[in-house]
Amino acid sequence: MIIEATLAFFVCIAFPRISKMIPSPVLAFLLVTALEWSVARYIGFPSTLIGDYTSTLSTPLLPIPIVFDSRFSLPPMNYDTWKKVWPSGLSVFVTTLADSLLTYRVTSEKVKSRGSSSRMAFGQGLAQFTCSFFGGMGGGALIDQTTINLKSGAETGLSVFFAGIILFIVALGAYPAVAIVPLSAVVGVMLYSVYNIFQWGSFLSLAAAFLPRKLRDVFFLDCKVNRMDSFVMFVVLILTIFVDTAIAASLGATMAVYTYAWDTSNRLEVDRVMSDGDDTATYRIKGPIFFGTYPVLLSLFTQEVISNDPKDVILFLKDAEILDWSGQLALKTLYLRIESCGRTVALSSLSESSRNLMEKNSSLWYGCVFLEMEEVD
């Protein structure tokens, strides 16, 4: 089996260098199957076949909505049923959506075109609902199969259509031909897919992330990535292998979000500029204003700092970005704090996205003074 898997792997790698008339995975399946039935079984070293893992398929029936199909007995639609099915449903949702979005990203990079990820996700959800309504099992995109298709020259939506048609034909009547293919051929082709997907340079990046700078300079490792990013990748890898893909993806995304929030909260800057007559103080706020920078922003404007300001204070927000509700509350709290110290406050030069966000909650800003950039100049 190891010899056949190795042969399939090297055929997939080497044959495209010779010709692309025949997809290399197809040739690998044909050669390994011929080797299995002409040599391996003849000398007494048979391999496991695909047919050994599944029973023969019956002729497909016309799809019938599951609510009208007598072969199925549906559970009652109540809370107890919901408690039993929602963990599995959520796991399938997270896993298939993450795999499909990753496949979409890889495909977009390969074919140098970009579609709509939202439309893709909606279409996948609609397809899964339709399949389950007719008693079938939904699914998602497969990055390994997509990689093999791309390597074989399939770069348009027509290839996806033909892949579905061929799979239908196999299920309809060509199953005996597939059943005699050795499982080792599938293993070899999947290894070829992993070989193409894996970014081998990431090993050096991970190593460089955990080495001190002196050692990186000694080994000329100029490919260091953020240590937290490397840690997230490592955690997702371990959880995927030993626990569950859905849990790994969910925890990895959560860790990445909190890491980003932590890093971004340290990027807020405030510069104080006095006017020529020292009668106006302008605070130029730079960076994102959101839940992560709420305490940081307010800590920069203490009562002691505000008491040293002149009567007029301008909060210049051209280089700032209000991102959420907490960011709006932080800015309004700051406005009221300065105003409570007897100063006249004005908000100036909001970005378009910040202005749009604040206009949706205009009641929060009643009584606040807004200036345009020209008025500040």
Side-chain angles (χ1 to χ4, degrees):
M1 183 174 181
I2 296 177
I3 296 176
E4 291 177 342
T6 304
L7 175 63
F9 175 72
F10 280 106
V11 168
C12 290
I13 292 179
F15 187 73
R17 304 174 186 273
I18 302 174
S19 174
K20 293 186 178 180
M21 293 292 294
I22 302 176
S24 58
V26 175
L27 182 62
F29 281 127
L30 294 176
L31 289 178
V32 172
T33 302
L35 179 65
E36 169 67 22
W37 289 95
S38 63
V39 179
R41 291 182 176 266
Y42 181 76
I43 62 177
F45 291 96
S47 298
T48 304
L49 305 180
I50 293 179
D52 296 335
Y53 274 88
T54 180
S55 59
T56 55
L57 299 178
S58 58
T59 303
L61 302 175
L62 291 176
I64 302 174
I66 194 172
V67 294
F68 303 115
D69 197 333
S70 59
R71 295 174 299 169
F72 298 99
S73 178
L74 296 179
M77 300 297 179
N78 53 31
Y79 180 68
D80 291 334
T81 302
W82 170 255
K83 288 193 301 182
K84 295 177 181 178
V85 302
W86 81 262
S88 299
L90 181 62
S91 176
V92 171
F93 165 75
V94 173
T95 304
T96 55
L97 184 61
D99 200 6
S100 297
L101 291 175
L102 180 60
T103 303
Y104 167 79
R105 176 183 173 185
V106 172
T107 304
S108 299
E109 293 174 355
K110 294 291 185 181
V111 301
K112 302 296 188 297
S113 66
R114 190 169 184 84
S116 172
S117 57
S118 299
R119 186 170 57 186
M120 181 275 298
F122 175 79
Q124 177 175 298
L126 182 62
Q128 290 178 343
F129 176 81
T130 304
C131 287
S132 61
F133 183 73
F134 286 98
M137 183 177 67
L142 294 175
I143 191 170
D144 49 358
Q145 179 180 333
T146 302
T147 302
I148 293 173
N149 289 344
L150 290 172
K151 285 291 183 179
S152 301
E155 297 184 354
T156 66
L158 191 62
S159 63
V160 180
F161 174 77
F162 273 103
I165 291 295
I166 293 174
L167 183 61
F168 175 75
I169 293 174
V170 170
L172 188 65
Y175 173 76
V178 177
I180 65 173
V181 176
L183 199 61
S184 55
V186 180
V187 173
V189 173
M190 290 298 99
L191 287 175
Y192 170 68
S193 174
V194 172
Y195 170 80
N196 285 287
I197 294 173
F198 201 87
Q199 298 292 332
W200 297 99
S202 60
F203 276 121
L204 289 176
S205 298
L206 290 174
F210 296 100
L211 290 177
R213 182 171 184 177
K214 290 183 178 179
L215 287 179
R216 295 201 305 269
D217 293 339
V218 170
F219 295 105
F220 301 101
L221 296 177
D222 56 351
C223 53
K224 177 184 178 295
V225 297
N226 186 282
R227 285 191 175 92
M228 193 60 193
D229 291 341
S230 301
F231 178 71
V232 170
M233 288 188 288
F234 180 76
V235 169
V236 171
L237 174 63
I238 296 301
L239 289 178
T240 300
I241 296 175
F242 295 104
V243 183
D244 182 75
T245 303
I247 295 177
S250 301
L251 182 59
T254 303
M255 293 174 63
V257 168
Y258 276 98
T259 300
Y260 173 79
W262 177 267
D263 291 341
T264 307
S265 65
N266 298 317
R267 298 176 184 174
L268 191 68
E269 299 179 7
V270 177
D271 297 327
R272 184 172 183 264
V273 180
M274 297 297 296
S275 62
D276 294 336
D278 291 338
D279 57 347
T280 302
T282 301
Y283 287 95
R284 297 180 177 269
I285 303 175
K286 303 176 183 178
I289 304 176
F290 68 115
F291 71 90
T293 55
Y294 187 116
V296 178
L297 178 63
L298 295 182
S299 67
L300 297 174
F301 291 87
T302 61
Q303 297 286 345
E304 182 179 356
V305 172
I306 300 173
S307 62
N308 294 324
D309 287 333
K311 183 174 178 57
D312 295 328
V313 176
I314 297 176
L315 299 179
F316 189 79
L317 301 167
K318 178 184 178 182
D319 299 318
E321 196 70 44
I322 302 174
L323 301 179
D324 60 4
W325 167 250
S326 296
Q328 295 185 66
L329 289 180
L331 191 59
K332 182 60 181 292
T333 303
L334 175 60
Y335 186 99
L336 295 176
R337 176 181 293 184
I338 299 175
E339 194 174 51
S340 66
C341 293
R343 271 60 177 176
T344 301
V345 197
L347 303 176
S348 169
S349 308
L350 292 167
S351 67
E352 183 177 355
S353 58
S354 297
R355 185 187 299 274
N356 292 336
L357 184 64
M358 294 168 66
E359 286 177 350
K360 296 176 182 178
N361 188 30
S362 57
S363 61
L364 181 66
W365 306 102
Y366 287 156
C368 295
V369 178
F370 292 87
L371 300 177
E372 296 299 332
M373 189 181 303
E374 291 79 5
E375 298 180 63
V376 179
D377 295 338

